[in-house]
Amino acid sequence: MWKKIKQLIFIVLVLNVLFIIWGRFFNPPITITQIGGLFEYGKLQRDYISYDEMGNNVKKAVIASEDQKFFIHNGFDYKAIEKAMKHNEKGKKVRGGSTISQQTAKNIFLWQGRSWLRKGLEAMYTFIIEKVWSKDIILERYLNSIEMGRGVFGVEAASQYYFGKPSKDLNTSEAAWIATVLPNPKKYDPKNPSSYLRKKHNWIMRQMKNVSLK
Protein backbone atom coordinates (compact mmCIF):
# COMPACT_ATOMS: atom_id res chain seq x y z
CA MET A 1 0.00 0.00 0.00
CA TRP A 2 2.68 2.47 1.07
CA LYS A 3 4.78 1.49 -1.93
CA LYS A 4 1.93 2.41 -4.28
CA ILE A 5 1.40 5.73 -2.45
CA LYS A 6 5.10 6.54 -2.77
CA GLN A 7 5.01 5.67 -6.46
CA LEU A 8 1.97 7.90 -6.96
CA ILE A 9 3.65 10.80 -5.14
CA PHE A 10 6.79 10.32 -7.23
CA ILE A 11 4.76 10.34 -10.47
CA VAL A 12 2.92 13.50 -9.40
CA LEU A 13 6.20 15.23 -8.56
CA VAL A 14 7.77 14.25 -11.87
CA LEU A 15 4.72 15.44 -13.82
CA ASN A 16 4.80 18.76 -11.95
CA VAL A 17 8.48 19.26 -12.71
CA LEU A 18 7.90 18.49 -16.39
CA PHE A 19 4.89 20.84 -16.51
CA ILE A 20 6.91 23.67 -14.94
CA ILE A 21 9.75 23.17 -17.44
CA TRP A 22 7.24 22.90 -20.30
CA GLY A 23 5.61 26.13 -19.06
CA ARG A 24 8.84 27.99 -19.61
CA PHE A 25 8.32 27.60 -23.35
CA PHE A 26 4.53 27.37 -23.78
CA ASN A 27 1.36 28.91 -22.39
CA PRO A 28 -0.97 26.47 -20.56
CA PRO A 29 -3.48 24.61 -22.77
CA ILE A 30 -6.16 25.52 -20.21
CA THR A 31 -6.34 26.39 -16.51
CA ILE A 32 -8.74 25.41 -13.73
CA THR A 33 -10.00 29.00 -13.58
CA GLN A 34 -10.64 29.04 -17.33
CA ILE A 35 -12.59 25.79 -17.06
CA GLY A 36 -14.64 27.38 -14.30
CA GLY A 37 -15.34 30.42 -16.48
CA LEU A 38 -16.37 28.18 -19.35
CA PHE A 39 -18.90 26.34 -17.21
CA GLU A 40 -20.17 29.51 -15.53
CA TYR A 41 -20.56 31.74 -18.60
CA GLY A 42 -20.63 29.25 -21.45
CA LYS A 43 -17.64 30.78 -23.21
CA LEU A 44 -13.87 30.89 -23.10
CA GLN A 45 -12.63 34.01 -24.85
CA ARG A 46 -8.85 34.14 -24.93
CA ASP A 47 -6.01 34.64 -27.39
CA TYR A 48 -2.50 33.78 -26.27
CA ILE A 49 0.12 36.14 -27.68
CA SER A 50 3.85 36.60 -27.15
CA TYR A 51 5.41 39.08 -24.74
CA ASP A 52 6.49 41.38 -27.58
CA GLU A 53 3.02 41.38 -29.14
CA MET A 54 1.37 42.73 -26.01
CA GLY A 55 2.66 46.28 -26.23
CA ASN A 56 4.19 48.25 -23.37
CA ASN A 57 1.15 50.23 -22.21
CA VAL A 58 -0.83 47.25 -20.96
CA LYS A 59 2.26 45.76 -19.27
CA LYS A 60 2.92 49.02 -17.44
CA ALA A 61 -0.75 49.41 -16.50
CA VAL A 62 -1.04 45.96 -14.93
CA ILE A 63 2.30 46.26 -13.12
CA ALA A 64 1.26 49.71 -11.84
CA SER A 65 -2.02 48.29 -10.59
CA GLU A 66 -0.94 44.93 -9.21
CA ASP A 67 2.76 44.77 -8.38
CA GLN A 68 5.07 47.75 -8.82
CA LYS A 69 8.02 45.84 -7.34
CA PHE A 70 7.63 42.97 -9.80
CA PHE A 71 11.06 43.29 -11.43
CA ILE A 72 12.97 43.67 -8.15
CA HIS A 73 11.40 41.14 -5.74
CA ASN A 74 12.07 37.39 -5.60
CA GLY A 75 8.42 36.46 -6.03
CA PHE A 76 7.18 37.74 -2.66
CA ASP A 77 6.56 41.29 -1.46
CA TYR A 78 6.90 40.82 2.29
CA LYS A 79 5.93 44.39 3.16
CA ALA A 80 2.73 44.09 1.11
CA ILE A 81 1.94 40.75 2.77
CA GLU A 82 2.49 42.25 6.24
CA LYS A 83 0.34 45.26 5.37
CA ALA A 84 -2.45 43.01 4.08
CA MET A 85 -2.35 40.87 7.23
CA LYS A 86 -2.63 43.92 9.49
CA HIS A 87 -5.52 45.21 7.38
CA ASN A 88 -7.35 41.88 7.54
CA GLU A 89 -6.87 41.61 11.31
CA LYS A 90 -9.04 44.69 11.70
CA GLY A 91 -11.97 42.70 10.32
CA LYS A 92 -12.35 44.86 7.23
CA LYS A 93 -12.76 43.67 3.65
CA VAL A 94 -10.12 41.04 2.96
CA ARG A 95 -7.12 42.43 1.10
CA GLY A 96 -4.52 40.33 -0.67
CA GLY A 97 -0.78 40.92 -0.77
CA SER A 98 -0.01 38.64 -3.70
CA THR A 99 2.60 39.55 -6.29
CA ILE A 100 2.22 38.94 -10.01
CA SER A 101 4.47 35.90 -9.57
CA GLN A 102 2.17 34.47 -6.90
CA GLN A 103 -0.92 35.17 -9.00
CA THR A 104 0.74 33.49 -11.97
CA ALA A 105 1.50 30.39 -9.90
CA LYS A 106 -2.11 30.30 -8.73
CA ASN A 107 -3.62 30.90 -12.18
CA ILE A 108 -1.45 28.39 -14.03
CA PHE A 109 -1.11 25.52 -11.57
CA LEU A 110 -3.85 25.86 -8.95
CA TRP A 111 -7.40 26.89 -8.20
CA GLN A 112 -9.04 29.99 -6.71
CA GLY A 113 -9.64 30.14 -2.97
CA ARG A 114 -8.07 31.12 0.34
CA SER A 115 -7.30 27.79 1.99
CA TRP A 116 -3.95 27.25 3.70
CA LEU A 117 -3.28 24.29 1.40
CA ARG A 118 -3.72 26.42 -1.70
CA LYS A 119 -1.59 29.24 -0.27
CA GLY A 120 1.14 26.78 0.65
CA LEU A 121 1.21 25.26 -2.83
CA GLU A 122 1.13 28.76 -4.31
CA ALA A 123 4.24 29.71 -2.35
CA MET A 124 6.04 26.56 -3.54
CA TYR A 125 5.18 27.13 -7.20
CA THR A 126 6.07 30.83 -6.92
CA PHE A 127 9.52 29.99 -5.58
CA ILE A 128 10.12 27.47 -8.38
CA ILE A 129 8.95 29.61 -11.33
CA GLU A 130 11.05 32.51 -10.06
CA LYS A 131 14.05 30.18 -10.35
CA VAL A 132 13.13 28.37 -13.58
CA TRP A 133 11.34 31.09 -15.58
CA SER A 134 12.46 34.65 -16.32
CA LYS A 135 10.49 37.72 -15.24
CA ASP A 136 9.39 38.28 -18.84
CA ILE A 137 8.05 34.72 -19.07
CA ILE A 138 6.19 35.06 -15.76
CA LEU A 139 4.63 38.33 -16.92
CA GLU A 140 3.69 36.85 -20.29
CA ARG A 141 2.02 33.83 -18.67
CA TYR A 142 0.19 36.13 -16.25
CA LEU A 143 -1.05 38.53 -18.92
CA ASN A 144 -2.24 35.63 -21.09
CA SER A 145 -4.07 33.70 -18.34
CA ILE A 146 -5.50 36.32 -15.98
CA GLU A 147 -9.28 36.59 -15.82
CA MET A 148 -10.38 39.99 -17.18
CA GLY A 149 -14.10 39.61 -17.62
CA ARG A 150 -16.90 37.08 -17.59
CA GLY A 151 -15.37 34.26 -19.59
CA VAL A 152 -12.65 36.61 -20.87
CA PHE A 153 -9.02 35.71 -20.16
CA GLY A 154 -5.79 37.53 -21.01
CA VAL A 155 -4.99 41.03 -22.16
CA GLU A 156 -5.46 40.31 -25.87
CA ALA A 157 -8.99 38.95 -25.44
CA ALA A 158 -9.81 41.76 -23.00
CA SER A 159 -8.51 44.39 -25.42
CA GLN A 160 -10.63 42.98 -28.24
CA TYR A 161 -13.65 42.59 -25.95
CA TYR A 162 -13.59 46.10 -24.46
CA PHE A 163 -12.00 48.17 -27.23
CA GLY A 164 -12.07 46.10 -30.43
CA LYS A 165 -8.32 46.35 -31.03
CA PRO A 166 -5.09 44.41 -30.36
CA SER A 167 -3.49 45.00 -26.97
CA LYS A 168 -0.37 46.45 -28.61
CA ASP A 169 -2.50 49.31 -29.94
CA LEU A 170 -4.00 50.32 -26.58
CA ASN A 171 -3.27 53.88 -25.55
CA THR A 172 -2.40 54.77 -21.95
CA SER A 173 -6.00 55.35 -20.88
CA GLU A 174 -7.34 52.17 -22.51
CA ALA A 175 -4.55 50.06 -21.01
CA ALA A 176 -5.30 51.56 -17.59
CA TRP A 177 -8.96 50.59 -17.98
CA ILE A 178 -7.91 46.99 -18.71
CA ALA A 179 -5.92 46.97 -15.45
CA THR A 180 -8.69 48.71 -13.52
CA VAL A 181 -10.98 45.65 -13.63
CA LEU A 182 -8.46 43.72 -11.53
CA PRO A 183 -8.88 42.12 -9.05
CA ASN A 184 -12.64 41.71 -9.57
CA PRO A 185 -13.23 41.31 -13.32
CA LYS A 186 -16.60 39.61 -12.82
CA LYS A 187 -17.95 42.72 -11.10
CA TYR A 188 -16.13 45.67 -12.65
CA ASP A 189 -16.84 46.87 -16.20
CA PRO A 190 -14.79 49.58 -17.96
CA LYS A 191 -17.76 50.21 -20.25
CA ASN A 192 -19.89 51.29 -17.28
CA PRO A 193 -17.46 52.49 -14.60
CA SER A 194 -18.44 53.58 -11.10
CA SER A 195 -16.88 56.60 -9.42
CA TYR A 196 -14.55 54.21 -7.59
CA LEU A 197 -13.34 52.73 -10.89
CA ARG A 198 -12.76 56.19 -12.35
CA LYS A 199 -10.60 57.11 -9.36
CA LYS A 200 -8.66 53.86 -9.64
CA HIS A 201 -8.22 54.39 -13.40
CA ASN A 202 -6.76 57.86 -12.83
CA TRP A 203 -4.48 56.51 -10.10
CA ILE A 204 -3.17 53.75 -12.40
CA MET A 205 -2.41 56.25 -15.18
CA ARG A 206 -0.36 58.33 -12.73
CA GLN A 207 1.48 55.25 -11.47
CA MET A 208 2.29 54.08 -15.00
CA LYS A 209 4.72 56.97 -15.29
CA ASN A 210 6.85 55.34 -12.60
CA VAL A 211 6.92 51.85 -14.15
CA SER A 212 9.99 50.69 -16.04
CA LEU A 213 9.94 47.39 -17.96
CA LYS A 214 13.34 46.13 -16.82
Side-chain angles (χ1 to χ4, degrees):
M1 180 66 177
W2 282 110
K3 183 177 181 181
K4 290 183 178 180
I5 293 175
K6 289 180 181 179
Q7 289 175 340
L8 179 60
I9 293 174
F10 177 76
I11 292 172
V12 170
L13 289 174
V14 170
L15 289 176
N16 269 273
V17 170
L18 292 176
F19 189 37
I20 291 169
I21 295 173
W22 183 86
R24 193 182 193 285
F25 303 97
F26 304 99
N27 285 286
I30 197 166
T31 67
I32 295 175
T33 304
Q34 290 173 356
I35 293 173
L38 178 61
F39 277 100
E40 186 172 359
Y41 301 110
K43 69 174 184 178
L44 176 57
Q45 188 172 339
R46 68 175 190 182
D47 187 5
Y48 290 155
I49 57 176
S50 70
Y51 184 81
D52 293 334
E53 291 176 298
M54 292 173 176
N56 289 337
N57 280 335
V58 73
K59 297 173 190 173
K60 289 183 177 181
V62 173
I63 289 173
S65 175
E66 296 294 294
D67 183 6
Q68 295 187 25
K69 297 180 181 179
F70 173 68
F71 284 106
I72 61 175
H73 63 57
N74 65 351
F76 305 92
D77 186 343
Y78 299 103
K79 289 185 177 180
I81 294 172
E82 182 180 359
K83 186 176 180 180
M85 291 177 65
K86 289 181 178 179
H87 173 87
N88 298 338
E89 286 174 357
K90 297 178 181 179
K92 298 180 180 179
K93 183 178 180 181
V94 176
R95 175 188 296 173
S98 296
T99 63
I100 283 176
S101 300
Q102 288 174 274
Q103 293 182 57
T104 302
K106 176 185 67 177
N107 292 334
I108 301 298
F109 301 104
L110 303 169
W111 61 94
Q112 304 298 317
R114 295 185 177 276
S115 69
W116 287 109
L117 172 62
R118 208 273 293 155
K119 293 298 292 184
L121 290 172
E122 176 188 297
M124 180 188 71
Y125 280 113
T126 299
F127 176 81
I128 295 173
I129 64 175
E130 278 280 340
K131 298 296 182 181
V132 178
W133 300 357
S134 67
K135 287 289 188 178
D136 287 357
I137 292 173
I138 292 173
L139 186 57
E140 179 186 320
R141 300 293 176 266
Y142 176 77
L143 292 175
N144 272 328
S145 64
I146 188 70
E147 187 172 19
M148 291 191 162
R150 298 184 176 187
V152 179
F153 293 86
V155 293
E156 184 68 10
S159 181
Q160 294 289 352
Y161 179 73
Y162 293 117
F163 301 107
K165 63 171 68 174
S167 59
K168 65 181 178 62
D169 294 333
L170 293 172
N171 60 37
T172 301
S173 178
E174 291 166 340
W177 277 120
I178 294 289
T180 300
V181 304
L182 304 172
N184 198 340
K186 295 180 180 180
K187 177 181 177 181
Y188 300 146
D189 185 357
K191 297 178 181 179
N192 186 28
S194 63
S195 58
Y196 165 76
L197 283 190
R198 292 185 186 278
K199 290 179 182 178
K200 184 180 178 182
H201 173 262
N202 290 333
W203 178 83
I204 290 174
M205 285 203 297
R206 292 194 301 270
Q207 295 301 310
M208 287 173 68
K209 298 176 182 177
N210 304 320
V211 174
S212 176
L213 298 175
K214 296 181 180 179

